[in-house]
Each structure stands twice: as structure tokens, then as C-alpha cells.
Amino acid sequence: MTVRRDFQEPARCRPDLVIGRAELVAAAREQLASGGSVLLHGPAGIGKSTVLRALDAEYAGTARTVLRCSATESESHLPFLALADLFGLVLDDVSAHLPGAQRTALESALTGRGESTLQRDGLALRLAVLSALRVLAAEGPVLIVADDLQWLDPASAELLGFAARRLGGTPVQLLCAVRTEGQEYDRHLRASPPDTVAVRLGPLTRGQVSELLDHRGHTGLTRSTVREIHRTSGGNPLFALELGRALAENPTPPRPGEPLPVPTSLRALVLSRLDMLSVEARRTLLVASAGARPTQALLHAAGRENAEAECAQAAELGLLATEPEGPAVRFAHPLISAALYAEAPAQERRAAHAALSTAASDPIERARHLALATTGTDPEVADRLAEAATEARDRGAPSVAAQIGLLAARHTPGDHTPTPDERRLQAAEDATSAGEIDLAQDIAREVLTHATRPADRVRAWILVIDSAGHTMTEVDAAFPHALADAGDDPRLLGKVHYQLAWRALIVGGDFTEARQAAAHSAGLAAEGGDRRTELLALSLQAQVETLMGHPAAPATIKRALKEPQDPNVACHHNGAGSARFRWLVMGDQLAEARATVTALLREVRRRGQVESEVHFLRGLAETELRSGHCGRALDLAREGLHLAHDSGIGETASAMLTSLAEASGGDVDRGLALAREAVEHAEQDGDTMYLSRALGALGYAQLVAGDPAGTVRSLRRVRELEQSLGITDPARGRWQGDLAEALVRVGEPAEAQDVIDVTREHALRLGRESVLAVLDRAEALVRAAHGEHDAAVTQLTSAQDRFAKLGCGLEEARAAFALASLRDRRSPTAFDEATRLFRRCRALPWLRQVDEAVSAPEPPVEAAAEPAVLDGLAAMERQVAALVMEGATNREIAARLFISVKTVEATLTRVYRKLGIRSRVDIVRLAAGRRAK
């Protein structure tokens, strides 16, 4: 086996090496596993070598011989170098099997003894390479691993291509990587075996760049910085890592509005052609790099009179990607713009910004350029920036508002009103709205190091607490400080007690205390004239009362909806609109709930409020799921989960909701994984409120996956948690029917009936019609387990009709499925109604259950009356044992009783233990003994 000196130990396939490439690696892996070849291609730094080495490490062990080469640009002029890398160490093994002319030509090319050239020894060399590969393949599979094909010396490339095209059914596979721009890989593909699959590696997403930076130790970067790294790098992992390293090594982070520092290594990579530009063309490109959306017209307005000709010159050198006569000026890669700006002297940068401060048409952009052209404090500049931040906020761009606001604070004199700290805190609140929690927290903590005004300090403490989200235990120390700074000011105390209400709910799981704290906060805020906090506190009080099933909830919602309203609270995810939506969903008013949450989602998107967007995406997905639109719900849930991961907001809640959507309309295994992730995170965060919701999602996914025993374990925990929390409204989690159904499946109908009876009492009190229908469906299964077949059919038929009237499509389909399982299973149309309803819902996992039930063979003989020997068994155990006595297989029993095969096996284990027997054969003997009597 030949191993090149700089490629001797392929890197192990670690997860951090292939971040963001799961689908591509899976496609390549499948191709290699089937005996085919793979050509990885993409631009420099995109991760081709990383993926190549990961696949090499995984598949090298499956080959008898592995031949490797890794070309370099500096050696590409040396003929036959790559060929020597590939065959140097196996030459002795293959020479004896080659014809004389081929052996001589190959030895001459590899050793340098004699003068071998393609022109003189072309045919002999081509045949020698082909023959050598066939000799090696005769002993076992051969894997050729070649990196950087673009630097292969021409002679080696031609020989390798000749052989590759003629290998036919020979067990020789190629795993290669080549640098390409765009789709220019055809010539390399033509030089590969016919069964080669080309896999293009594209840019990483922002979330993947963030994950990559974390894995490489750059964990202290704010989300806004990661976003800028992603934008500047264009998603290129090498560029992103170099930018992250430069930031880590730079003690002074870039000022707001300034590009990232570009390390020397990347400057050299992208700016090598700058020296070929004229001085004036370089200045024109600097102005373009300083602009947010540069155009030819903007460059003219900024004083660049020859912009067209200078841009044409830059385009010819590959620095610009657009046609020189086009309106937009676009750099070939964002890194070129960043490196050009970083290379320019500070004075030239300020001059470019000064020109753009009058040339730009957008007032926000003009203000940003004015700030970057100004040094020191300047009240006029600061006020213009503050106005621009307000306009950005009104446009729904809170992230821009935060950046402009920080610039305003930097240029604000200390004795100005508003003060620099007030403007910093406003910027932090804008960052919170934009989902840039890390930036908001950094600003707040910086203000706390020097602020003395109580209002500023309390405002900063609230930002610190808000930034913790559901991990409020991490900021417990902030509450005493905030209370101390608030003193006896009711306006400030109202803000702190509002946060204490959330703490009681999330950390303490005490709904009564949370309700009281919210009411106290509303009273203090009203006394202090803080309508915003008063409305938020009333909305929180209403949501807690709704979850508790408290009779005061409707009245509190009305109070929260009274005028005057604060427009920022009206659409906030913790505002009255959200409380009203929750009330509508729990009260089965799904059409009105959908209209309400859709309007809220539209408004927060217009305002750029990311945290509220994550929340309302979940709300809309939940509404669609309740309505039986599983496909739509799954799309919304996945979108919300992606946004939650990207922003770091509401990840546990989004994982929980996506789990429900996956288990209903997508991938059950994915649903299980997400639910377990949500449970783990909720437990780690000490979030008792979402722990019960996550466990509820897990229990449902386990039920769909055919694991009723797992469902029972998970939902029993939910029952205990909600009893301890004081949650009595069954519409909050809607897990009770699933628990009862699972209990029936595992042979515990008595406990199932207890769950139904307790839940029905609360559902009747609160008028939860859909919950009552679910309970009837579950009770029908209890009756069927007791042999009350006709009563069960009647109750299921009634439940299905009520679900249809309420618009609960998925629940209606589940009732139809249960009904079909109780009726004549031998009829070819028994499951038609359930199939139709599940298809309408796009409930794919449930459709698979119907298919399994339809294809399961019917037991040959109806189970006769159970023998007295089975009297000591539970209901489910008796049914399983009786069917075994009649000769039914485990699969037949599972289909007959609407349970999984695993449940049948577990039930039989309990039967053996209780009857003192060892196998199903002993059960059949019991049946034979009964017949003999």
C-alpha cells in the first residue's frame, strides 16, 4: 500500500470535521458502499479534503489495497509524481505480472531511471497503469484516494484517466477531490470511472458556521458576530475559521458598523490581484466595500466619476462578479470586500464613509456612514443616529436599530439627554427583539459596571434576566440586586416583580405564586404609570389562570385587552394577543385561533421581533396540528425549530412541538429524538413547566412508535408533575387520552378508567369538548378490553362524529382507526375510512399503522371463552393468553388487539411468570388439557 508522506494518517471521522455535510456524506457513503466512485468538488476552502479524509478513514478498511496521492501546486510541473505516489510502494508486487514493455515503461516513469515520456512510451505506460490496477484488484478491492486533482501533473492525470475509463467491472474505486468554481468539473468527471457520482460541496448555513466555530473553540462570539462571520465568509468553512481565529486573537473587537478584521492569510488569498488595479480603481472599490448596497449610481454620487471603467477593470481581474454596465456592484466574494476595507488606512476609510454619508439615499445608511466618518463625541451626529435607529425599529429591523443605537451611544456626550447609557440600553432591547441575546446581555452587563441611576440599573438587570430565557436559575443572583436598585419606586418594582412571576412559573413551577406575583406587578405598574409593564403582567396572569383552569381567566384577558394599548405589547409573545390565542386553542375555537396567531405572526415578522416569531410559529403549527393539517404543521414546526436553533431562543419548546408534528406527519424516530432532547434540556434548565410538555410529546411519540409501555412511563410522570404544579385544565397538554389508551394496551384498564374519570371531571367543569371526545374514545377501548364490544363501537362512533364537528381532523381519524379495529377486520373495506381520513391529514406515521393492520393475517379461529386457569391474569394478559391457546402468532395477536409485537412479547413474559410456565407451548398444553376435560 502506497502512502504519501504528508497524507499518512487520514483524520478520523469526527463529527466536527463534517459539520453541515450529513446529506452529502450520506450520498457519497452510499455510492462507495455500492462499489461506485465519488468525485468531490467545490471552491477552495469549502471542505473537500475534510470530507475526503473522513470517507477515507471510514472505507479504507474495506479495501485490500489503498493507493493515495495528494498533489500540490508547487509540484504540479514534475511529470509522473502523482503516479509515483500511487504505485511506488506496490511496484514490486505488480511488476512480475506485467508484460516486459509495460514493466519497463512503468519502472522508468516511477523511478526516473531512463527517460520515459508519454510521447515516446504512451501506449505502454497507459496499458501498464491499467494492468497494474487489474493485478491489484485480482487480490481484492482497490481504493484510490486522490486529493487536489487540479494540481495533478498532466502526465499522471492522463494515465489515471485512461485507466479509470477502462476498468469496467474491476473492483477499483476512486475517491477524489478537485477544486472547481461553479460547476466546472466535467473534464474531471470524464476522466473518472463511468459509475462516478459528482458531489458538490456548497457553503454552510449560519447555524452550521456557528456549530463549526464552537467545535473549534471559538465559543465566546456573539450571535451578531457569528452572523457577520457567515456573511463575510460566504459560508466557506475555511474562511469562517480564519475569521474566527482573527477575532479571538484581536483584543479589540470591531466597532458597530465596521467589517470584521481579516487575517493576513486570507488577505493574501483574495487580494493578490489588487496590485494590478490603478490607484483610482482601488479607491472606487473601497467606496463600494464601505457601502451596504453599492451601485454605479451610488459610486457616481460619492464622487467616483469613472466608476464604470474602474469597475470593468476590477471585473476583468475577477474581483467583481457582475457585468460592469450592470446597476449593482457585487464583489466576487464577500471576503474580497472585507479584506479590501481592512487593508485600507483609517483615513481613507473615513473619507469613503464621508462621501457615502451624503451620497446614500437611505437616511439610515447616511447616518451610519456619518458615524463611521466621525471621530469622538458629537451630539448632532448622535441625535441623527438615534433618529435613524428609531426609523430602523419602525421598519421592522431591530438588529439594524441595535447597531445604529450603539453608534449613537458612542458619539453621545456624557452630559447629553438621553445619556449614553440610555441609548446603550435601548440598543440592547433592540438586540433582544432581534434575537441577538448575547449582544443584549453584553451591553447590559457593561452598563452595570458603571451606571449609578436606579432606572438604568434596573433596566440593565431586566435585560440580564430576560436574556436567560428559560434558564432563569443561572441569573438568580440578579433578582436581589434588581430589587435593591428599585428601592420603593413602584414603576421599577413593577418591572422586577413581573420577572419574579416568570421565575415562579418556570423555575418554581408554582402557578399560584406566579399568578399572585403577576397581579402584584400589574398593580405596582399601574401605580407607577407604566402601562407597558401593566399590560404584560395582566397577560401573564391571564395565561397562568388559563393553564390552571382558574375561573378568573376570561375576565383577566378582558382587562389585558382594554385600552389604552401599547402597540409593542399587543403583538408581543407575552402580550394579551398571545393570551387570547392560548384561550381560543384550549377552547377548541380553532378557526379563530388560526386567524389570531396568523395576524400576530405577520406583525412580529414586519417588526423583526425574532423571539415572538419563534413563539407564534409554534402557535400556528400547534393550531394546524389540532386541525389535522399534519403536513402544514410539520413545515411550520421545522421552520420554527430552525429559527430557534439559529437565534438560541425557545429551543426546548420548539423541539417539543416539532416532536409532536414529526410523530403525527413526519418521521417518528425523529419525533422521539426531539422529544428526548426537549426533556433533557428542560431537566438541565430546571424548567418544570416545559418538562411536563416535553414528556407529553415523548409519550405521544412512543405511542405512535408502538411502545405503549414507554408511553405509560412518560405520561405517568406528566400526571405526577401536573398534579404537583396545580395544573387542572386537561386542554393544556392533552396527554390524558394517550395515557389511557396506552394503559389499555399494556393490560391496565382499571388505571386507564381512573385517568378518564378524573380528567372528565375537569373537562366538564371547563367545557373542553374535544378533551371529552378524546376521553370517550379512550373509554371505548377500556370497554372493548372488558368485552363490551357493542358499547365500545357506539361510543367510538359518537366520538368520531364530535371530532368532525369540532374540526379536529387527526383525532377524528384516530377514532375511525380504533373503530375499524373493533369491527370485522376481514372485510376488505374495514379500514377505508381511517385510511381516507389519515391521508387527508397527511398523517404518514398513522397511515403506516393502518397498512400494518390491513396486512396482518387474521387469526384462524375466534378466541373461545377463557379457561378458569387465566382468571388471575390482567385483562390484556388474559386476551393474549387466550389467543395463544387458539394458535395465533405474536404478529396476529398484535394486529388483533391493536398493540405492538413488543407489547405482546412483554405481556407473554408476565403470563409465564404468573402461571408458572416457561413458554407458549405450555399455554397450548393448558388449552389441550381444558379440551380433554
Side-chain angles (χ1 to χ4, degrees), residues 31 41 66 76 102 115 122 167 191 194 203 236 278 288 306 487 498 599 630 671 694 698 704 748 825 833 912 931:
Q31 174 70 1
H41 67 101
V66 180
S76 60
Q102 294 180 22
E115 294 184 1
L167 286 169
N236 185 296
S278 67
N306 299 315
Y498 173 69
C630 297
L698 177 58
V704 179
E748 300 290 348
R825 300 169 56 85
E833 176 72 355
Y912 300 155
R931 294 190 184 98

Side-chain angles (χ1 to χ4, degrees), residues 613-882:
E613 182 181 355
V614 171
H615 182 92
F616 291 134
L617 274 170
R618 286 200 307 269
L620 183 55
E622 179 185 356
T623 306
E624 298 294 358
L625 197 57
R626 288 281 320 283
S627 303
H629 305 151
C630 297
R632 171 68 173 151
L634 183 58
D635 291 341
L636 288 164
R638 287 174 173 171
E639 180 184 355
L641 182 61
H642 178 79
L643 185 58
H645 282 322
D646 197 31
S647 63
I649 296 172
E651 294 178 86
T652 299
S654 297
M656 176 274 298
L657 197 282
T658 309
S659 167
L660 293 171
E662 291 283 2
S664 298
D667 184 336
V668 179
D669 290 336
R670 174 68 174 152
L672 287 166
L674 284 169
R676 292 189 175 106
E677 175 187 323
V679 169
E680 181 181 356
H681 287 173
E683 289 176 331
Q684 290 174 350
D685 296 342
D687 186 348
T688 54
M689 184 172 68
Y690 267 109
L691 177 58
S692 64
R693 296 294 305 274
L695 284 167
L698 177 58
Y700 173 72
Q702 289 168 323
L703 185 68
V704 179
D707 180 17
T711 299
V712 169
R713 287 192 300 272
S714 298
L715 298 187
R716 276 175 175 164
R717 283 189 67 191
V718 177
R719 192 181 190 191
E720 293 170 0
L721 274 170
E722 294 205 351
Q723 285 175 347
S724 65
L725 292 172
I727 298 174
T728 59
D729 193 334
R732 187 247 181 181
R734 299 180 179 272
W735 49 267
Q736 296 86 352
D738 291 336
L739 175 56
E741 181 175 332
L743 286 166
V744 171
R745 292 194 188 188
V746 300
E748 300 290 348
E751 185 181 348
Q753 189 64 55
D754 178 66
V755 170
I756 293 167
D757 292 341
V758 172
T759 307
R760 183 177 280 130
E761 180 182 348
H762 294 299
L764 286 168
R765 174 175 60 84
L766 296 167
R768 303 304 192 212
E769 290 299 325
S770 64
V771 174
L772 290 169
V774 167
L775 296 175
D776 279 353
R777 185 183 66 208
E779 190 170 51
L781 299 178
V782 174
R783 288 183 169 178
H786 288 307
E788 302 173 23
H789 185 272
D790 292 342
V793 169
T794 300
Q795 196 166 17
L796 277 173
T797 303
S798 172
Q800 183 180 344
D801 291 342
R802 287 153 63 197
F803 285 132
K805 291 175 182 177
L806 290 168
C808 301
L810 183 58
E811 301 293 358
E812 178 190 359
R814 288 181 62 180
F817 187 23
L819 195 57
S821 301
L822 292 181
R823 286 175 171 164
D824 187 1
R825 300 169 56 85
R826 289 167 294 187
S827 169
T829 62
F831 290 93
D832 284 359
E833 176 72 355
T835 299
R836 181 184 69 81
L837 291 173
F838 280 133
R839 280 180 179 163
R840 187 180 69 182
C841 295
R842 220 185 87 179
L844 304 182
W846 286 103
L847 273 171
R848 283 190 284 272
Q849 287 201 22
V850 174
D851 290 341
E852 290 175 3
V854 170
S855 61
E858 186 71 17
V861 182
E862 288 293 322
E866 298 169 4
V869 72
L870 304 183
D871 288 346
L873 303 179
M876 180 63 71
E877 293 166 353
R878 288 199 302 273
Q879 291 181 68
V880 170

Side-chain angles (χ1 to χ4, degrees), residues 51 105 115 321 325 371 417 514 562 566 663 794 821:
V51 174
E115 294 184 1
E325 65 271 13
T417 302
K562 280 185 178 179
D566 183 320
T794 300
S821 301

Side-chain angles (χ1 to χ4, degrees), residues 97-418:
H97 302 277
L98 301 180
Q102 294 180 22
R103 180 171 61 252
T104 300
L106 184 60
E107 288 177 347
S108 177
L110 297 186
T111 63
R113 293 191 297 270
E115 294 184 1
S116 179
T117 66
L118 274 180
Q119 184 176 1
R120 191 182 70 185
D121 301 320
L123 180 59
L125 268 175
R126 289 178 175 87
L127 294 175
V129 172
L130 180 60
S131 299
L133 289 173
R134 286 174 173 164
V135 168
L136 293 171
E139 299 179 4
V142 176
L143 176 65
I144 299 174
V145 182
D147 199 6
D148 284 320
L149 284 184
Q150 75 278 0
W151 303 132
L152 237 62
D153 62 275
S156 296
E158 204 285 332
L159 291 170
L160 189 59
F162 175 88
R165 292 190 297 270
R166 289 163 175 78
L167 286 169
T170 309
V172 177
Q173 296 174 268
L174 271 68
L175 172 59
C176 304
V178 61
R179 180 186 301 180
T180 56
E181 297 296 335
Q183 298 293 324
E184 301 166 3
Y185 62 93
D186 289 350
R187 66 185 182 89
H188 298 287
L189 192 60
R190 287 193 296 270
S192 302
D195 62 350
T196 300
V197 168
V199 177
R200 176 168 177 78
L201 274 67
L204 300 180
T205 66
R206 188 169 72 184
Q208 291 163 351
V209 165
S210 176
E211 186 180 356
L212 177 64
L213 291 166
D214 285 345
H215 273 279
R216 297 301 175 89
H218 305 306
T219 55
L221 302 174
T222 65
R223 294 188 186 279
S224 57
T225 300
V226 171
R227 184 182 61 208
E228 188 62 20
I229 288 175
H230 176 257
R231 188 195 67 79
T232 303
S233 68
N236 185 296
L238 174 63
F239 296 171
L241 287 171
E242 286 296 300
L243 289 168
R245 182 179 60 79
L247 281 169
E249 294 175 352
N250 190 347
T252 305
R255 297 186 302 176
E258 288 188 347
L260 298 175
V262 180
T264 304
S265 58
L266 294 186
R267 292 191 199 185
L269 179 66
V270 300
L271 299 180
S272 58
R273 287 161 286 184
L274 270 184
D275 291 339
M276 302 174 67
L277 284 174
S278 67
V279 174
E280 291 303 312
R282 186 161 179 160
R283 286 175 180 167
T284 295
L285 287 194
L286 175 61
V287 175
S289 72
R293 292 173 296 277
T295 62
Q296 299 281 359
L298 178 66
L299 294 176
H300 273 291
R304 307 311 303 167
E305 297 177 356
N306 299 315
E308 288 88 350
E310 290 158 356
C311 286
Q313 182 186 2
E316 288 177 2
L317 294 172
L319 294 168
L320 295 181
T322 55
E323 293 296 328
E325 65 271 13
V329 177
R330 185 167 61 88
F331 285 89
H333 192 282
L335 193 61
I336 297 175
S337 173
L340 176 65
Y341 186 92
E343 190 80 2
Q347 185 177 353
E348 291 186 17
R349 292 189 209 173
R350 286 195 294 270
H353 286 297
L356 289 167
S357 69
T358 58
S361 59
D362 184 83
I364 297 175
E365 192 64 13
R366 287 199 302 271
R368 183 179 76 88
H369 288 301
L370 179 62
L372 294 173
T374 305
T375 58
T377 59
D378 186 321
E380 183 179 346
V381 171
D383 289 344
R384 281 187 60 184
L385 286 164
E387 292 171 4
T390 299
E391 183 162 349
R393 195 178 307 119
D394 292 342
R395 287 186 190 178
S399 179
V400 175
Q403 296 296 329
I404 299 294
L406 287 174
L407 287 171
R410 194 180 74 193
H411 290 289
T412 301
D415 57 354
H416 190 272
T417 302

Side-chain angles (χ1 to χ4, degrees), residues 390-519:
T390 299
E391 183 162 349
R393 195 178 307 119
D394 292 342
R395 287 186 190 178
S399 179
V400 175
Q403 296 296 329
I404 299 294
L406 287 174
L407 287 171
R410 194 180 74 193
H411 290 289
T412 301
D415 57 354
H416 190 272
T417 302
T419 66
D421 277 347
E422 287 179 285
R423 283 178 166 161
R424 288 188 187 96
L425 291 168
Q426 178 61 62
E429 289 166 358
D430 287 330
T432 298
S433 294
E436 297 177 11
I437 303 302
D438 294 344
L439 175 60
Q441 189 174 59
D442 289 345
I443 295 171
R445 292 195 181 279
E446 193 273 329
V447 168
L448 286 168
T449 61
H450 62 263
T452 56
R453 292 178 64 232
D456 290 344
R457 293 189 62 79
V458 170
R459 193 175 174 187
W461 284 122
I462 297 303
L463 282 162
V464 170
I465 293 167
D466 267 343
S467 67
H470 282 254
T471 59
M472 295 187 81
T473 52
E474 297 179 2
V475 293
D476 266 351
F479 288 101
H481 293 294
L483 286 169
D485 286 331
D488 56 2
D489 186 333
R491 186 182 183 88
L492 299 180
L493 285 170
K495 297 178 185 296
V496 180
H497 280 277
Y498 173 69
Q499 298 295 334
L500 285 168
W502 275 108
R503 188 193 181 284
L505 183 64
I506 293 173
V507 179
D510 191 327
F511 280 62
T512 301
E513 182 183 345
R515 176 176 178 266
Q516 292 171 349

